[in-house]
Amino acid sequence: MFTQRSQTPRRSFAKTFRDRVLGSDLVDLLTGPHGVDRYTELVDPTWTQGEARAKVVDVRRTTPRSVTLTLAPNESFTSTHTFRAGQYVNVALDIDGRRHTRCYSPANVEGSSTLELTVGRHADGLVSNYLYEQARQGMVVGLSGVGGDFVLPTQRPRRILLVSGGSGITPVMSMLRTLVAEGHLQNQGAEIAFVHYARTEAEACYRDELSTMTGVKVLHGYTRSGTGELAGRFGPQHLAAAMPAPDAVFVCGPSALVEAVREHCDNVYTESFVPPVITAPANPSGGRITFADSGVDVVDDGRSLLEQAESAGLTPENGCRMGICHTCTRRKVSGTVRSLTTGAVSTAPDENIQICVSVPVGDVDLSL
């Protein structure tokens, strides 16, 4: 009897052979100073050895204020990063010749081979509006890491309440999908409730999918229309309607929602996608900022080091611009800076600082 032999070992051998060839010193020598990536990316922009990228394989505009992208990451990303439900990824793309990086929380189930990003557009959001208007299948974006501590504990709580507002739905949607995929509701005494707040019913992301979630109690509150299963803001009545005394609560959304949940619930895991209120000093130090690696120096005008670097014509890599993703971290060679989010002062030489939320206190020498 003829038995077809599995092709997996052959494909694995071919992949290993390809990786060895592309990573060899000879190929590196032949491809010159630009490296092999600059040639392989002409065939496929995601076929790179050293740069994590992803191709947009699906685009859906299911609400008037959001776009959902499905990304297929390349091996440079998948071989070095493991995504956990609730975490964020840094996404980079070029707009008008400048690279912009933002952090987004995927909504896909943990362990998926693709990343699903639902991006809410904002009136002054350069990247969010660009993606809503211009994203298309085949577009390639950069990926620069996975981060965040907003994740499910290894020992899953039995009774879980998930709360989200606006585009903050994505990390808790990832948690919900992961819990359902794991069969959490089949455990004795397990319960899941999901509360989502949106401005209107039309703007409620994942509404159709949530309505089909068997065994999950789903409640919506629409803050602009006053309709939905919940009226008003989160409080004792909403908690009682969703799940009294949950074992754990996971909430992501505007700061007011996060604080309301904290006030009325115990065992709260939080993440807010709204930048903290940052107030620049009323009186700039007037010190000199030296960007040592670029040979540029400026007089401090009170803004963050990131903003002053950009005004000086530099293009430091950055992401969230609110002190969360750490993409903008640079080495402070000398001088003193103050954090706009915590008020902490850094005086020691050769310290890493987040330049998006740091302002000078006198002269500062920065490795940039």
Side-chain angles (χ1 to χ4, degrees):
M1 181 176 69
F2 173 76
T3 302
Q4 185 175 8
R5 182 175 298 173
S6 170
Q7 296 299 308
T8 302
R10 185 173 297 175
R11 285 197 298 268
S12 298
F13 173 79
K15 173 183 173 300
T16 301
F17 179 75
R18 184 202 71 189
D19 291 344
R20 285 180 178 175
V21 170
L22 294 180
S24 69
D25 293 338
L26 176 60
V27 169
D28 186 58
L29 176 64
L30 293 175
T31 53
H34 300 295
V36 67
D37 283 356
R38 292 299 170 262
Y39 294 88
T40 57
E41 67 184 3
L42 297 176
V43 180
D44 187 329
T46 62
W47 192 14
T48 58
Q49 290 284 98
E51 187 173 342
R53 297 178 182 176
K55 182 179 292 185
V56 177
V57 295
D58 187 51
V59 179
R60 291 176 287 130
R61 294 174 175 86
T62 54
T63 80
R65 292 173 55 83
S66 67
V67 58
T68 298
L69 312 176
T70 302
L71 308 181
N74 66 1
E75 191 175 346
S76 292
F77 179 83
T78 58
S79 63
T80 55
H81 296 90
T82 300
F83 166 74
R84 294 180 63 188
Q87 291 187 304
Y88 61 80
V89 296
N90 293 318
V91 178
L93 66 158
D94 297 322
I95 303 176
D96 296 330
R98 289 191 62 183
R99 172 144 289 207
H100 300 268
T101 304
R102 298 291 185 270
C103 51
Y104 295 113
S105 297
N108 50 273
V109 66
E110 194 172 292
S112 173
S113 61
T114 58
L115 299 174
E116 179 179 301
L117 308 180
T118 293
V119 180
R121 68 186 308 190
H122 304 281
D124 56 351
L126 173 66
V127 174
S128 65
N129 279 285
Y130 180 86
L131 289 174
Y132 184 86
E133 296 166 2
Q134 305 292 334
R136 65 191 185 282
Q137 290 186 23
M139 174 187 285
V140 174
V141 299
L143 297 176
S144 56
V146 173
D149 299 322
F150 184 59
V151 295
L152 293 166
T154 303
Q155 186 66 38
R156 309 299 199 218
R158 288 191 308 161
R159 302 175 66 253
I160 297 174
L161 173 60
L162 304 170
V163 183
S164 61
S167 56
I169 193 173
T170 52
V172 289
M173 193 69 192
S174 178
M175 292 178 176
L176 175 61
R177 286 170 163 173
T178 298
L179 289 167
V180 171
E182 291 175 349
H184 179 75
L185 288 170
Q186 298 171 15
N187 298 327
Q188 185 176 3
E191 297 178 51
I192 303 175
F194 196 109
V195 175
H196 179 61
Y197 298 92
R199 302 200 308 179
T200 65
E201 182 177 355
E203 295 181 14
C205 300
Y206 298 104
R207 181 167 52 89
D208 292 341
E209 180 179 345
L210 286 168
S211 68
T212 66
M213 287 278 188
T214 304
V216 179
K217 187 172 188 178
V218 178
L219 300 174
H220 281 91
Y222 304 121
T223 57
R224 293 288 178 89
S225 64
T227 59
E229 296 83 9
L230 301 172
R233 309 290 175 171
F234 184 90
Q237 291 183 333
H238 291 195
L239 177 60
M243 180 184 289
D247 294 332
V249 183
F250 299 85
V251 55
C252 181
S255 300
L257 174 61
V258 171
E259 291 307 314
V261 172
R262 279 178 170 161
E263 180 181 352
H264 299 290
C265 301
D266 297 320
N267 300 319
V268 177
Y269 299 78
T270 70
E271 181 171 83
S272 176
F273 60 81
V274 176
V277 177
I278 296 176
T279 303
N283 300 310
S285 71
R288 183 157 296 278
I289 306 171
T290 302
F291 302 109
D293 298 347
S294 306
V296 174
D297 60 85
V298 298
V299 175
D300 173 36
D301 61 13
R303 294 179 298 161
S304 71
L305 285 165
L306 172 60
E307 293 175 293
Q308 296 194 61
E310 291 176 333
S311 294
L314 305 180
T315 57
E317 188 176 1
N318 64 90
C320 67
R321 302 179 78 93
M322 57 183 181
I324 294 176
C325 72
H326 295 270
T327 304
C328 70
T329 299
R330 293 294 183 274
R331 181 170 60 88
K332 174 174 63 70
V333 180
S334 63
T336 301
V337 300
R338 182 172 62 84
S339 169
L340 291 171
T341 56
T342 67
V345 175
S346 165
T347 59
D350 295 319
E351 283 191 332
N352 289 329
I353 62 171
Q354 294 171 272
I355 62 173
C356 71
V357 291
S358 296
V359 293
V361 181
D363 294 343
V364 173
D365 190 342
L366 196 67
S367 179
L368 177 62

